[in-house]
Amino acid sequence: MLKAMIVDDEYYIREGLKKSDLWNELAIEVVGEAEDGTTAWAMFQVCQPDILLLDINIPEMNGIELARTIRNVNEDAQIIFLTGYDEFQWVKEAVALQASDYLLKPVVREELHKALVKANERVKKWEDSNQYVEQLQRQVHNYSKAAHEQWLIDLVQQRRPLAHCLDQLASSGIHLNPSGHYAVLCSDIDDFVSLNDGLTAKDRQLYQYAYRKIAEEAVESYEQVNTFGETPGRVVLLIGSVKEQSVLLDIASRLRSVISQYLKLSISIGISNPIQGLEHVYQAYHEASAAIEYKSIVGGGQIIPYSSMAVTMTQNSRLLDKELYLLSEMRAGNEVNVINILREWSENLRTMLWSDVKLVASQLVMFVIRLFKEVKLKNQTLLHANPLVDMSNCRTNDEMIRFLTSYFTEVGRAIRLSKEVPSYRMIEQAKEWIREHLSEELSLVNLADYLNMSPKYLSNRFKQATGETFADFSTQVRFDRAKELLADSSLRILDVATMVGFTDTNYFSMAFKKNIGITPTEYRKRFL
């Protein structure tokens, strides 16, 4: 079955083409669609369609540019250009690019049928002459790629002797300097399990292949970067000729940006310290793997240098009373106190050894990151969006003090502002939410998510403002509403029970009597 891909920036045109009965009639499968040239190029490399319906006027990379890019790597794909009246000047270049055909929009079924039949016939001719050779070439390429990836895994995990790994890699065209400078990056797709659960097996393979392929292309401009897939959701990068962590941060930022842009995926990246000599590459691999485990603490989408993590794992690490007091004032939203403590604390930091400054700073930053998540501020944009990276860039006591002062002040201010939401307004929002969700199972956790605060904090504020617990208030509202509904004689008792969140009529009657003193039926008889 031949494969086709549709590229057009107009949604309804793509949908109309996809729904055509010609695909089944001509035994052609539509394997992908895209609305811009850049996405189409990434998808083309993954899907390798035989036929491409390509609009000339698309964003980011127009159809002619995309066709030219495709022709550099694939002479066989049949390209059918879609053009408008004002794009007819492109036809000459379309011919030069060996277009199979060009159709004037809006596309007429008969014209599309002729173009697809023509493309189909040309594909079959190419297949007859090239299929055997291509199959052999593909097998050799796949074997070579799989082999050198396996040798890279063996190298970084020290499964085999170093010299043996280097010899095998050299035979496949990868030459590594045993005494060179290297580092390792581990890139994980966040929530990979959840992503997999929502995909078919075919789509899952497509995502994994695209993830690795785009990761390779994202870093190809850097020298001596070897990329391999260790697990379906993880890509590992072995980077040579690198001594400065700033280069590693640039690579990680580029990789995260490209994956987000083209695959709409969030990734976390662990970065090792640079090492010299491939005999130490296992240490770098271990550091990158260990760093990425911290995403469970700092959240997904982060670049996590091991240098920021290492000091938090020392056996002697502890927080002093003043630092604990600073954290408690931040949690309370006391911005003025936070600033005063920082001013006094900074003077002490200036007199400490650099190693001790890093120790205290890293612990505090980790706690503040947790605090930021705990008080439901994780979706708020901060100037220091990736504090671990910012901290790892500090080289002196003064640089670290400036960073900590800026970051802690910013978080403290955000927490204070979050607590300044008028209590009355917040409680009224909570009450309104409860009334609107009576027919459901009322949950303090769901209400807290709606109001963007922690359940414990909401529970305390609700009790302070109303004098009642969330559960007591919800129960009272349920039965107040039930009494209002019972006044409508057209509603059955079952209907009333359902509308206030009870699925069992008998249980509703017992609960109503316990709270009101009489059954729903007696209430209706007495007050109607």
Side-chain angles (χ1 to χ4, degrees):
M1 196 171 191
L2 298 184
K3 298 182 293 182
M5 195 169 110
I6 301 170
V7 183
D8 196 300
D9 62 339
E10 295 185 54
Y11 171 78
Y12 290 105
I13 289 180
R14 295 200 309 273
E15 287 297 301
L17 290 172
K18 277 196 310 181
K19 292 177 181 178
S20 173
D21 60 348
L22 291 176
W23 306 114
N24 288 331
E25 181 181 329
L26 298 174
I28 301 174
E29 178 187 6
V30 178
V31 294
E33 60 175 303
E35 62 182 357
D36 62 77
T38 305
T39 303
W41 169 234
M43 188 175 294
F44 180 88
Q45 297 173 82
V46 175
C47 301
Q48 293 294 312
D50 305 291
I51 301 171
L52 195 68
L53 265 64
L54 178 56
D55 181 19
I56 289 180
N57 188 20
I58 52 176
E60 296 193 22
M61 181 194 301
N62 69 40
I64 295 296
E65 293 171 335
L66 175 58
R68 192 179 296 119
T69 303
I70 290 172
R71 280 289 174 255
N72 288 335
V73 297
N74 187 318
E75 297 180 357
D76 304 342
Q78 300 303 304
I79 300 175
I80 301 173
F81 280 110
L82 308 177
T83 67
Y85 284 102
D86 57 344
E87 299 160 0
F88 206 71
Q89 72 273 18
W90 293 107
V91 169
K92 183 177 179 180
E93 186 150 4
V95 173
L97 288 167
Q98 300 177 11
S100 172
D101 217 327
Y102 52 89
L103 302 176
L104 197 63
K105 295 196 294 183
V107 178
V108 179
R109 184 185 186 281
E110 289 74 15
E111 295 298 323
L112 178 60
H113 180 270
K114 290 179 183 178
L116 289 176
V117 169
K118 179 180 176 181
N120 198 335
E121 291 173 352
R122 293 180 65 172
V123 169
K124 293 293 175 61
K125 289 179 181 179
W126 279 105
E127 284 183 347
D128 291 341
S129 59
N130 295 338
Q131 188 174 28
Y132 180 68
V133 174
E134 288 179 353
Q135 182 180 358
L136 290 179
Q137 290 175 339
R138 194 180 306 114
Q139 288 175 346
V140 171
H141 173 74
N142 290 342
Y143 176 79
S144 175
K145 186 174 179 63
H148 86 242
E149 286 200 1
Q150 190 57 55
W151 286 113
L152 284 169
I153 293 174
D154 289 346
L155 173 70
V156 300
Q157 295 186 359
Q158 287 189 346
R159 293 179 178 177
R160 298 174 187 267
L162 174 61
H164 187 49
C165 290
L166 293 178
D167 287 343
Q168 293 296 328
L169 287 168
S171 67
S172 63
I174 299 177
H175 301 277
L176 302 177
N177 180 5
S179 59
H181 293 84
Y182 294 90
V184 174
L185 268 64
C186 285
S187 170
D188 278 9
I189 297 176
D190 297 326
D191 299 323
F192 181 69
V193 175
S194 300
L195 174 66
N196 265 349
D197 289 343
L199 298 175
T200 64
K202 183 177 179 180
D203 288 341
R204 194 176 301 126
Q205 291 178 351
L206 180 64
Y207 254 108
Q208 292 169 9
Y209 180 82
Y211 171 45
R212 290 174 55 182
K213 187 69 176 176
I214 293 177
E216 290 175 3
E217 294 181 357
V219 298
E220 64 183 2
S221 61
Y222 298 92
E223 295 182 3
Q224 298 190 30
V225 178
N226 289 285
T227 306
F228 57 93
E230 182 184 27
T231 61
R234 171 172 292 184
V235 168
V236 179
L237 289 76
L238 175 62
I239 303 168
S241 299
V242 59
K243 298 180 182 179
E244 299 295 330
Q245 192 170 63
S246 59
V247 176
L248 301 175
L249 295 174
D250 287 342
I251 294 175
S253 297
R254 167 69 177 164
L255 177 59
R256 181 176 62 172
S257 174
V258 170
I259 294 297
S260 174
Q261 179 180 357
Y262 295 126
L263 290 183
K264 313 301 180 188
L265 292 176
S266 169
I267 62 172
S268 298
I269 302 174
I271 304 178
S272 77
N273 291 314
I275 54 100
Q276 181 174 11
L278 281 172
E279 67 272 18
H280 303 301
V281 72
Y282 176 74
Q283 174 187 337
Y285 168 76
H286 173 75
E287 289 178 355
S289 300
I292 209 166
E293 294 303 319
Y294 273 76
K295 73 176 182 179
S296 62
I297 297 174
V298 301
Q302 297 286 323
I303 297 172
I304 311 171
Y306 181 77
S307 57
S308 300
M309 304 290 96
V311 288
T312 67
M313 295 182 280
T314 59
Q315 292 182 350
N316 297 325
S317 63
R318 65 190 182 90
L319 288 175
L320 304 178
D321 290 342
K322 188 173 293 184
E323 283 76 36
L324 289 172
Y325 180 49
L326 172 65
L327 290 171
S328 68
E329 292 300 293
M330 289 183 68
R331 186 189 302 275
N334 298 327
E335 185 183 351
V336 174
N337 287 355
V338 169
I339 293 173
N340 290 334
I341 296 169
L342 281 170
R343 188 179 296 114
E344 178 184 352
W345 179 62
S346 297
E347 295 303 318
N348 295 334
L349 280 183
R350 285 193 174 89
T351 65
M352 294 169 59
L353 294 174
W354 172 239
S355 59
D356 293 333
V357 170
K358 288 197 297 183
L359 173 65
V360 174
S362 61
Q363 292 177 89
L364 276 169
V365 168
M366 291 292 291
F367 273 91
V368 172
I369 290 173
R370 294 184 197 179
L371 175 62
F372 191 77
K373 294 171 63 180
E374 177 186 326
V375 296
K376 297 286 185 178
L377 295 174
K378 59 180 181 295
N379 293 324
Q380 183 170 320
T381 301
L382 295 180
L383 176 64
H384 296 285
N386 204 328
L388 296 175
V389 172
D390 296 338
M391 183 176 67
S392 68
N393 285 328
C394 296
R395 295 290 180 269
T396 66
N397 288 20
D398 284 341
E399 287 182 3
M400 184 67 79
I401 289 168
R402 284 195 293 271
F403 158 69
L404 293 174
T405 301
S406 174
Y407 178 53
F408 292 172
T409 301
E410 184 180 24
V411 174
R413 182 176 297 114
I415 293 174
R416 175 180 62 78
L417 292 174
S418 74
K419 292 178 180 293
E420 288 182 352
V421 176
S423 176
Y424 172 80
R425 180 182 173 190
M426 182 268 289
I427 295 302
E428 288 305 306
Q429 287 178 319
K431 290 179 178 179
E432 186 63 26
W433 184 91
I434 291 170
R435 295 187 185 99
E436 290 176 354
H437 293 78
L438 286 178
S439 61
E440 307 168 16
E441 180 180 351
L442 294 176
S443 163
L444 179 64
V445 173
N446 290 342
L447 176 55
D449 283 340
Y450 170 73
L451 294 173
N452 200 33
M453 59 183 61
S454 72
K456 183 176 180 181
Y457 176 76
L458 172 61
S459 178
N460 291 336
R461 293 293 295 272
F462 195 92
K463 179 71 179 295
Q464 290 173 358
T466 66
E468 298 178 274
T469 65
F470 167 80
D472 289 342
F473 179 83
S474 300
T475 299
Q476 186 60 47
V477 171
R478 280 190 192 279
F479 290 112
D480 286 346
R481 179 57 177 159
K483 289 190 290 185
E484 293 175 6
L485 294 170
L486 287 170
D488 185 351
S489 59
S490 66
L491 292 175
R492 299 175 300 168
I493 301 296
L494 173 61
D495 297 331
V496 174
T498 303
M499 294 169 73
V500 295
F502 289 87
T503 57
D504 186 297
T505 307
N506 291 331
Y507 180 65
F508 167 65
S509 296
M510 289 188 292
F512 189 92
K513 183 175 182 179
K514 180 179 179 181
N515 282 271
I516 307 303
I518 55 178
T519 67
T521 303
E522 292 171 340
Y523 179 88
R524 175 170 275 178
K525 289 179 179 178
R526 182 175 301 182
F527 294 99
L528 290 183

